[in-house]
Amino acid sequence: MFNNPRLILDSSSAPDPGRITWRSPSNIAIIKYWGKYGVQLPKNPSFSFTLAASCTDTMVEYEFKEGLPDGQIDLEFFFHQAENEAFRAKVLEFLNSILPVYPFLKQLKLTVRTGNSFPHSAGIASSASGMSALALCLCSLEDALFGTLKDQEEFDKKASFLARLGSGSACRSIFPYAAVWGETTHVKGSHNEYAVPAESYLHDVFKDFHDDILIVSREEKSVSSRAGHALMDGNPYAEPRYAQARTRLGTLMGALRTGDLETFGKITEDEALTLHALMMCSNPSYTLMRPDTLSIIEKVRQYRADTGNQVYFTLDAGPNVHLLYPGEIVHEVRAFIDEQLVEHCEDGYVQQDWVGEGPEEI
Ligand code: PMV
C-alpha cells in the first residue's frame, strides 16, 4: 500500500551523509495476535500496552553512493558494538523486502547500530522494540531525504506498516500507551496493515499500569513465534479462536474505557492461557510454560484472593510471566514479588516495566 517507485535519489543533488536515532519500546499484548495470513496480516485484531523500560536504541548512518553493481543493499550492522551476522542477515532480509516502498535504500551505504536497554540474554523478546525502532529510523530517513510524509499521523502509520513487515507485533509499539492492530468494528480506523493508537480508549487507571516481567527462563524458545503462527493453520480450534478474540476485544475495549479492572483482568488471563492452550493442541503439540510459570500463576491467584489486590498475569509466547497491576499498589506488589515470586525466576531476575509514552527520536 506504500509502494513508491519515485523515492529515488538524484545523483546530481546527492544528500550529505547523516544519521538518525530512535528509541522504541516493546509492547505486551492483552488480546493476542496468534495466527496470520498473507504477508504478516493478522487473523484477528489484537490490543497491547506500550511498555517504557524494555527498549531498543537504533542508529542508522547513511551516505549516498552510486550503488553496488549487483543492486544489493550495502549494510553494516552492529549489535551492542559488535558485528552480528545473524541479526545482520535478518535486517538485510527485511530491507530487501521493503525495496518496493523504499527503492532509495540501494543508493545508500547504511550502517545500523543497535542495542537493547535490557540484558540480551534476559529472555525478553526484542523483535517488537527492534523492528519498530528500525522502522521509525527509516521513516525519518524518508522525511530527511524526500519530505514526503505529510504529517505525524502519516509518519506513524507508515512506521507501523513497516514495523509490521519486520515482525507482526512490532507495529503496535509505535504508539503511546496502547495500540490496536487488526480490523475491528470496536475501533475506528483499525486496519490489518498497521496499528492505530488506542490511548483515547483508556481510563486513567490504565495509563499508570505496571508490567513486571518475571524471567522464568532465559533459554531460547524451543518453537519460534514464526513456527507457532504457522501451526495455527492446521489447528482445529483456529476458527473459533479467531471469533473468540474478536468478541473479547469488544468486551475489553468497554472495560478499558470504564476502568473495569475485574473484566480487564479476566480477559487478560483468559487470553494468556488460550494462547498456550493453542500451542498444546497444535500438531505437533508443544508447551512453552515451565513448572515455575504455573507456580507463579497459582500464587498470583492466591494473592488476589487473599488481599483483593488487582494483580493479573499474562504470558507471551514463552515461559516468562508478565504481572499487570495499577501503579497505586506498586509497593505491595513488589513486596509480594520479592517474598514469593523471585524464587521462581532464573537468577532472581525481574524486569520492571510500566505503560509508557511510546518511541522517541534521540
Ligand atoms: O510478532 P510475532 O510474530 O513475534 O508474534 C507475537 C505473538 C505474541 O507475542 C504471542 C502475541 C502478540 O500479539 O504480541
Side-chain angles (χ1 to χ4, degrees):
M1 78 189 296
F2 286 104
N3 288 5
N4 188 351
R6 289 193 309 269
L7 292 183
I8 284 286
L9 293 163
D10 181 356
S11 54
S12 63
S13 56
D16 291 335
R19 65 163 64 148
I20 287 156
T21 309
W22 276 88
R23 169 170 297 167
S24 189
S26 186
N27 67 75
I28 179 66
I30 302 302
I31 302 293
K32 309 290 184 184
Y33 146 63
W34 199 241
K36 57 180 165 182
Y37 70 96
V39 185
Q40 301 269 87
L41 294 164
K43 287 278 203 173
N44 64 263
S46 55
F47 170 94
S48 62
F49 285 127
T50 304
L51 296 179
S54 310
C55 291
T56 299
D57 287 354
T58 297
M59 178 194 281
V60 174
E61 297 168 353
Y62 60 94
E63 199 178 312
F64 181 78
K65 56 172 200 91
E66 287 302 333
L68 292 178
D70 52 0
Q72 292 289 304
I73 293 174
D74 186 349
L75 174 70
E76 272 197 281
F77 184 89
F78 297 88
F79 179 69
H80 288 268
Q81 275 89 48
E83 288 190 66
N84 183 315
E85 195 39 50
F87 284 180
R88 180 182 174 275
K90 219 174 152 182
V91 168
L92 195 58
E93 187 189 339
F94 166 65
L95 295 176
N96 273 311
S97 77
I98 61 163
L99 278 174
V101 180
Y102 284 156
F104 66 86
L105 291 175
K106 276 189 185 171
Q107 299 176 286
L108 299 171
K109 173 174 170 34
L110 296 168
T111 306
V112 175
R113 299 175 198 277
T114 182
N116 297 331
S117 64
F118 44 90
H120 175 45
S121 57
I124 298 175
S126 58
S127 62
S129 53
M131 280 302 172
S132 56
L134 182 59
L136 287 157
C137 287
L138 294 173
C139 286
S140 287
L141 189 55
E142 174 182 349
D143 225 11
L145 300 179
F146 301 95
T148 25
L149 290 164
K150 73 175 189 302
D151 55 24
Q152 187 65 41
E153 201 183 321
E154 184 73 10
F155 184 99
D156 289 347
K157 186 191 277 191
K158 192 154 181 179
S160 180
F161 168 87
L162 291 172
R164 186 201 102 226
L165 296 175
S167 169
S169 59
C171 72
R172 296 184 310 237
S173 279
I174 303 297
F175 301 99
Y177 299 105
V180 167
W181 170 36
E183 278 163 30
T184 163
T185 51
H186 301 283
V187 176
K188 216 171 134 242
S190 58
H191 208 284
N192 280 352
E193 304 246 24
Y194 48 82
V196 294
E199 180 187 348
S200 63
Y201 293 83
L202 301 184
H203 184 279
D204 278 349
V205 71
F206 293 111
K207 293 191 185 174
D208 179 28
F209 235 60
H210 282 255
D211 176 8
D212 289 338
I213 311 168
L214 308 170
I215 306 301
V216 166
S217 169
R218 300 171 145 149
E219 251 174 60
E220 186 117 351
K221 293 180 283 198
S222 54
V223 179
S224 67
S225 286
R226 186 187 285 215
H229 284 289
L231 284 172
M232 280 300 280
D233 287 342
N235 191 312
Y237 300 103
E239 287 310 321
R241 155 61 193 161
Y242 303 139
Q244 174 191 59
R246 284 191 277 273
T247 308
R248 282 182 177 165
L249 186 90
T251 312
L252 178 75
M253 296 318 287
L256 290 171
R257 219 180 296 228
T258 56
D260 176 353
L261 286 176
E262 257 154 46
T263 302
F264 165 83
K266 171 152 176 43
I267 293 179
T268 298
E269 296 190 346
D270 287 351
E271 274 291 291
L273 296 178
T274 301
L275 172 69
H276 284 259
L278 288 164
M279 297 171 186
M280 289 190 233
C281 56
S282 294
N283 187 12
S285 69
Y286 62 106
T287 47
L288 296 182
M289 286 195 275
R290 307 292 312 138
D292 283 311
T293 312
L294 287 171
S295 299
I296 292 171
I297 289 174
E298 283 174 4
K299 284 185 176 177
V300 169
R301 288 182 160 157
Q302 191 60 48
Y303 174 79
R304 208 163 54 224
D306 292 347
T307 63
N309 281 347
Q310 286 172 305
V311 184
Y312 301 99
F313 65 82
T314 189
L315 307 165
D316 261 340
N320 303 327
V321 183
H322 290 243
L323 274 198
L324 293 159
Y325 57 92
E328 63 176 23
I329 55 170
V330 61
H331 298 298
E332 289 155 84
V333 177
R334 294 262 166 88
F336 162 55
I337 292 173
D338 287 346
E339 283 159 23
Q340 294 195 46
L341 304 182
V342 156
E343 65 195 72
H344 300 290
C345 300
E346 190 169 341
D347 302 327
Y349 189 70
V350 178
Q351 165 88 7
Q352 297 180 344
D353 215 329
W354 52 91
V355 172
E357 292 177 14
E360 55 175 333
E361 190 168 6
I362 50 181

